[in-house]
Amino acid sequence: MELLLLLILTFILIIGVPIVISYFIYRKLRKTEFRKYAFIIPSLILGTLTYFIYTAFYPTDSFYKEDFESNTNIKLPATAKILTKDATYPDQFGDYWSSAIIELNEDEYVKLQSDLSKSKNFAIDTSNQKMGITKEYYNLTENVSEKEIKIVYYNKNEQWFKVAFLKDKKRIIFERSSS
């Protein structure tokens, strides 16, 4: 019951308040000499709100790059291209899952693998060289076979953060789960 009430209040604050403010701005401007601009300001407010809600559910590529960089302390090359990506919306504790398949050129691939192997925070996953703990990960990587994985590194300090280097020497996969 308390959770439902909290969700309703959050909905009202995040969505309802901007809509009400936009409505009153529109009505106020319609009664002035700026009435031909009355639609612009509320549209900007609602457009911004829509953008933030959309990117909360469908994060941009920069989210995945920042997620990778904050968990590895290694900057992705500017030419890194995110081929596929997926993430869950954070729960009430801020826990979420994210994963992406990233394409690099061969030199960047080799350098990144070297940087991870030298990092004190990472180790080679010798147990089973596997990735994937969620169904979303398997949906994301349905075209990637476990046999294509060359080596998997895991972050010793995180609950679940792994980076897999594929045998094609151009793609990597990372997976992060904070739950």
Side-chain angles (χ1 to χ4, degrees):
M1 182 65 180
E2 290 178 14
L3 181 60
L4 181 61
L5 183 61
L6 182 63
L7 288 172
I8 292 169
L9 288 173
T10 302
F11 178 79
I12 290 169
L13 284 173
I14 294 175
I15 297 175
V17 170
I19 290 172
V20 169
I21 290 171
S22 296
Y23 173 74
F24 284 114
I25 289 173
Y26 174 77
R27 283 193 52 187
K28 186 77 169 167
L29 287 174
R30 289 290 294 168
K31 296 176 184 175
T32 67
E33 68 271 8
F34 301 108
R35 73 171 173 249
K36 63 181 176 181
Y37 303 111
F39 192 69
I40 293 174
I41 293 174
S43 296
L44 289 174
I45 293 170
L46 295 176
T48 302
L49 176 67
T50 301
Y51 172 78
F52 283 118
I53 290 171
Y54 180 82
T55 58
F57 288 100
Y58 303 102
T60 61
D61 286 356
S62 63
F63 166 82
Y64 295 93
K65 289 179 180 182
E66 289 170 16
D67 204 24
F68 178 87
E69 292 171 359
S70 68
N71 283 284
T72 61
N73 292 322
I74 298 171
K75 185 153 179 59
L76 271 174
T79 58
K81 180 181 176 188
I82 297 189
L83 301 176
T84 58
K85 59 192 177 192
D86 197 7
T88 59
Y89 189 75
D91 63 15
Q92 66 268 24
F93 304 110
D95 292 331
Y96 67 95
W97 168 88
S98 69
S99 185
I101 300 176
I102 302 171
E103 185 175 68
L104 307 163
N105 69 39
E106 191 171 338
D107 293 336
E108 295 166 340
Y109 173 96
V110 170
K111 181 179 180 336
L112 185 61
Q113 185 176 351
S114 173
D115 291 346
L116 275 180
S117 68
K118 293 175 188 173
S119 173
K120 294 177 183 172
N121 296 328
F122 280 85
I124 296 174
D125 183 4
T126 56
S127 61
N128 58 13
Q129 292 288 336
K130 291 197 174 198
M131 299 275 292
I133 59 172
T134 62
K135 70 177 173 87
E136 292 88 0
Y137 169 82
Y138 289 107
N139 291 340
L140 180 76
T141 61
E142 65 187 358
N143 296 326
V144 178
S145 162
E146 289 283 329
K147 294 175 185 171
E148 292 180 70
I149 295 176
K150 174 182 168 186
I151 192 165
V152 176
Y153 291 90
Y154 71 94
N155 189 328
K156 298 184 279 187
N157 303 321
E158 292 292 323
Q159 186 171 0
W160 184 273
F161 184 84
K162 288 188 173 187
V163 179
F165 289 81
L166 302 183
K167 292 177 181 175
D168 63 8
K169 293 189 177 181
K170 64 180 180 179
R171 292 179 297 161
I172 63 168
I173 304 170
F174 84 83
E175 182 180 26
R176 176 197 192 276
S177 177
S178 61
S179 54

